Short mmCIF file of all heavy atoms in Angstrom, two decimals:
data_model
loop_
_atom_site.label_atom_id
_atom_site.label_comp_id
_atom_site.label_asym_id
_atom_site.label_seq_id
_atom_site.Cartn_x
_atom_site.Cartn_y
_atom_site.Cartn_z
N GLU A 47 10.95 -15.00 15.29
CA GLU A 47 12.43 -15.21 15.30
C GLU A 47 13.08 -14.24 16.21
O GLU A 47 14.21 -14.47 16.74
CB GLU A 47 12.90 -15.01 13.85
CG GLU A 47 12.53 -16.15 12.91
CD GLU A 47 12.86 -15.85 11.52
OE1 GLU A 47 13.49 -14.80 11.22
OE2 GLU A 47 12.49 -16.68 10.61
N GLU A 48 12.46 -13.05 16.47
CA GLU A 48 13.05 -12.06 17.38
C GLU A 48 12.69 -12.42 18.88
O GLU A 48 13.03 -11.68 19.78
CB GLU A 48 12.50 -10.70 17.06
CG GLU A 48 12.97 -10.17 15.76
CD GLU A 48 12.32 -8.85 15.31
OE1 GLU A 48 11.36 -8.45 16.03
OE2 GLU A 48 12.68 -8.30 14.34
N GLY A 49 11.96 -13.51 19.05
CA GLY A 49 11.59 -13.88 20.40
C GLY A 49 10.27 -13.40 20.86
O GLY A 49 9.89 -13.48 22.00
N GLY A 50 9.44 -12.89 19.91
CA GLY A 50 8.17 -12.31 20.22
C GLY A 50 8.21 -10.81 20.40
O GLY A 50 9.29 -10.18 20.40
N LEU A 51 7.05 -10.23 20.68
CA LEU A 51 6.91 -8.78 20.79
C LEU A 51 6.83 -8.40 22.27
O LEU A 51 5.92 -8.76 22.93
CB LEU A 51 5.65 -8.32 20.05
CG LEU A 51 5.37 -6.84 20.02
CD1 LEU A 51 6.47 -6.08 19.27
CD2 LEU A 51 3.99 -6.58 19.38
N PRO A 52 7.85 -7.67 22.77
CA PRO A 52 7.83 -7.32 24.20
C PRO A 52 6.57 -6.49 24.60
O PRO A 52 6.24 -5.53 23.87
CB PRO A 52 9.12 -6.43 24.41
CG PRO A 52 9.96 -6.78 23.20
CD PRO A 52 9.03 -7.08 22.03
N LEU A 53 5.99 -6.79 25.70
CA LEU A 53 4.83 -6.15 26.22
C LEU A 53 5.17 -5.28 27.35
O LEU A 53 6.13 -5.60 28.17
CB LEU A 53 3.76 -7.18 26.65
CG LEU A 53 3.15 -8.03 25.51
CD1 LEU A 53 2.24 -9.05 26.06
CD2 LEU A 53 2.41 -7.19 24.52
N ARG A 54 4.35 -4.18 27.59
CA ARG A 54 4.73 -3.23 28.63
C ARG A 54 4.68 -3.90 30.04
O ARG A 54 5.52 -3.64 30.90
CB ARG A 54 3.68 -2.11 28.68
CG ARG A 54 3.84 -1.05 27.61
CD ARG A 54 3.11 0.18 27.97
NE ARG A 54 1.65 -0.12 28.21
CZ ARG A 54 0.69 0.14 27.36
NH1 ARG A 54 0.96 0.60 26.14
NH2 ARG A 54 -0.56 -0.20 27.71
N GLY A 55 3.69 -4.73 30.28
CA GLY A 55 3.58 -5.42 31.56
C GLY A 55 4.42 -6.65 31.80
O GLY A 55 4.19 -7.38 32.73
N GLY A 56 5.37 -6.94 30.87
CA GLY A 56 6.09 -8.16 30.91
C GLY A 56 5.57 -9.15 29.95
O GLY A 56 4.40 -9.15 29.53
N GLY A 57 6.39 -10.13 29.68
CA GLY A 57 6.05 -11.19 28.69
C GLY A 57 6.30 -10.72 27.26
O GLY A 57 6.48 -9.51 27.02
N ARG A 58 6.17 -11.67 26.37
CA ARG A 58 6.37 -11.33 24.94
C ARG A 58 5.20 -11.90 24.13
O ARG A 58 4.91 -13.15 24.26
CB ARG A 58 7.73 -11.90 24.46
CG ARG A 58 8.88 -11.33 25.22
CD ARG A 58 10.19 -11.90 24.73
NE ARG A 58 10.62 -11.29 23.46
CZ ARG A 58 11.44 -10.17 23.42
NH1 ARG A 58 11.84 -9.59 24.44
NH2 ARG A 58 11.74 -9.74 22.18
N LEU A 59 4.57 -11.11 23.40
CA LEU A 59 3.45 -11.53 22.56
C LEU A 59 3.96 -12.44 21.47
O LEU A 59 4.91 -12.11 20.73
CB LEU A 59 2.74 -10.29 21.98
CG LEU A 59 1.27 -10.50 21.49
CD1 LEU A 59 0.41 -10.89 22.63
CD2 LEU A 59 0.80 -9.21 20.79
N TRP A 60 3.30 -13.60 21.30
CA TRP A 60 3.82 -14.64 20.40
C TRP A 60 2.72 -14.94 19.36
O TRP A 60 1.74 -15.55 19.68
CB TRP A 60 4.11 -15.87 21.19
CG TRP A 60 4.79 -16.95 20.39
CD1 TRP A 60 4.21 -18.07 19.87
CD2 TRP A 60 6.18 -17.07 20.06
NE1 TRP A 60 5.13 -18.85 19.22
CE2 TRP A 60 6.32 -18.27 19.26
CE3 TRP A 60 7.28 -16.27 20.21
CZ2 TRP A 60 7.57 -18.67 18.75
CZ3 TRP A 60 8.48 -16.68 19.71
CH2 TRP A 60 8.63 -17.88 18.97
N PRO A 61 2.94 -14.47 18.12
CA PRO A 61 1.94 -14.77 17.09
C PRO A 61 1.77 -16.28 16.77
O PRO A 61 2.82 -16.97 16.60
CB PRO A 61 2.49 -14.03 15.87
CG PRO A 61 3.47 -13.04 16.40
CD PRO A 61 4.06 -13.72 17.56
N GLU A 62 0.56 -16.73 16.81
CA GLU A 62 0.30 -18.16 16.40
C GLU A 62 -0.62 -18.13 15.21
O GLU A 62 -1.84 -18.02 15.27
CB GLU A 62 -0.44 -18.87 17.57
CG GLU A 62 0.37 -19.08 18.81
CD GLU A 62 1.35 -20.20 18.67
OE1 GLU A 62 1.47 -20.81 17.57
OE2 GLU A 62 2.03 -20.62 19.63
N PRO A 63 -0.01 -18.21 14.00
CA PRO A 63 -0.75 -18.07 12.77
C PRO A 63 -1.54 -19.34 12.39
O PRO A 63 -1.00 -20.46 12.49
CB PRO A 63 0.33 -17.75 11.68
CG PRO A 63 1.54 -18.32 12.22
CD PRO A 63 1.43 -18.25 13.75
N LEU A 64 -2.77 -19.14 11.96
CA LEU A 64 -3.60 -20.18 11.41
C LEU A 64 -3.73 -19.89 9.92
O LEU A 64 -4.39 -18.90 9.55
CB LEU A 64 -4.92 -20.28 12.07
CG LEU A 64 -6.10 -21.05 11.38
CD1 LEU A 64 -5.66 -22.50 11.19
CD2 LEU A 64 -7.40 -20.99 12.22
N LEU A 65 -3.10 -20.69 9.08
CA LEU A 65 -3.05 -20.39 7.65
C LEU A 65 -4.39 -20.79 7.02
O LEU A 65 -4.89 -21.87 7.14
CB LEU A 65 -1.90 -21.13 6.98
CG LEU A 65 -0.54 -21.04 7.70
CD1 LEU A 65 0.50 -21.74 6.82
CD2 LEU A 65 -0.17 -19.56 7.93
N VAL A 66 -4.96 -19.85 6.21
CA VAL A 66 -6.19 -20.07 5.50
C VAL A 66 -6.04 -19.77 4.01
O VAL A 66 -5.38 -18.77 3.66
CB VAL A 66 -7.30 -19.23 6.09
CG1 VAL A 66 -8.61 -19.49 5.30
CG2 VAL A 66 -7.57 -19.57 7.57
N GLY A 67 -6.62 -20.57 3.19
CA GLY A 67 -6.57 -20.38 1.71
C GLY A 67 -7.46 -21.37 1.03
O GLY A 67 -8.17 -22.17 1.72
N ARG A 68 -7.52 -21.32 -0.27
CA ARG A 68 -8.43 -22.18 -1.05
C ARG A 68 -7.76 -23.47 -1.57
O ARG A 68 -8.43 -24.40 -1.91
CB ARG A 68 -9.06 -21.39 -2.20
CG ARG A 68 -10.00 -20.31 -1.73
CD ARG A 68 -10.52 -19.49 -2.88
NE ARG A 68 -9.47 -18.68 -3.55
CZ ARG A 68 -9.65 -17.90 -4.57
NH1 ARG A 68 -10.84 -17.82 -5.11
NH2 ARG A 68 -8.64 -17.15 -5.07
N ASN A 69 -6.40 -23.44 -1.55
CA ASN A 69 -5.69 -24.52 -2.23
C ASN A 69 -4.98 -25.31 -1.13
O ASN A 69 -4.01 -24.87 -0.48
CB ASN A 69 -4.61 -24.00 -3.14
CG ASN A 69 -3.97 -25.09 -3.94
OD1 ASN A 69 -3.46 -26.01 -3.44
ND2 ASN A 69 -3.95 -24.88 -5.34
N GLU A 70 -5.44 -26.50 -0.87
CA GLU A 70 -4.96 -27.36 0.25
C GLU A 70 -3.49 -27.71 0.01
O GLU A 70 -2.68 -27.70 0.98
CB GLU A 70 -5.79 -28.63 0.34
CG GLU A 70 -5.39 -29.52 1.45
CD GLU A 70 -6.33 -30.71 1.59
OE1 GLU A 70 -7.53 -30.55 1.44
OE2 GLU A 70 -5.82 -31.80 1.83
N ALA A 71 -3.08 -28.05 -1.20
CA ALA A 71 -1.71 -28.39 -1.46
C ALA A 71 -0.79 -27.28 -1.18
O ALA A 71 0.32 -27.44 -0.56
CB ALA A 71 -1.54 -28.89 -2.91
N LYS A 72 -1.17 -26.00 -1.60
CA LYS A 72 -0.25 -24.87 -1.34
C LYS A 72 -0.16 -24.54 0.16
O LYS A 72 0.92 -24.20 0.66
CB LYS A 72 -0.79 -23.66 -2.16
CG LYS A 72 -0.62 -23.75 -3.70
CD LYS A 72 -1.11 -22.48 -4.36
CE LYS A 72 -0.88 -22.59 -5.87
NZ LYS A 72 -1.42 -21.29 -6.51
N LEU A 73 -1.29 -24.69 0.84
CA LEU A 73 -1.23 -24.45 2.26
C LEU A 73 -0.30 -25.44 2.96
O LEU A 73 0.47 -25.04 3.82
CB LEU A 73 -2.64 -24.50 2.84
CG LEU A 73 -3.62 -23.35 2.61
CD1 LEU A 73 -5.04 -23.68 3.05
CD2 LEU A 73 -3.11 -22.10 3.33
N ARG A 74 -0.45 -26.69 2.59
CA ARG A 74 0.36 -27.78 3.25
C ARG A 74 1.82 -27.50 2.97
O ARG A 74 2.70 -27.59 3.83
CB ARG A 74 -0.05 -29.10 2.68
CG ARG A 74 0.71 -30.28 3.42
CD ARG A 74 0.38 -31.56 2.75
NE ARG A 74 -0.99 -31.97 2.93
CZ ARG A 74 -1.91 -32.00 1.93
NH1 ARG A 74 -1.55 -31.69 0.73
NH2 ARG A 74 -3.18 -32.33 2.20
#
Side-chain angles (χ1 to χ4, degrees):
E47 288 169 6
E48 294 172 354
L51 182 63
L53 296 173
R54 282 197 309 258
R58 301 181 77 91
L59 199 64
W60 186 260
E62 291 284 6
L64 167 55
L65 311 184
V66 177
R68 292 176 293 181
N69 188 308
E70 183 175 322
K72 289 182 178 180
L73 284 171
R74 186 184 295 110

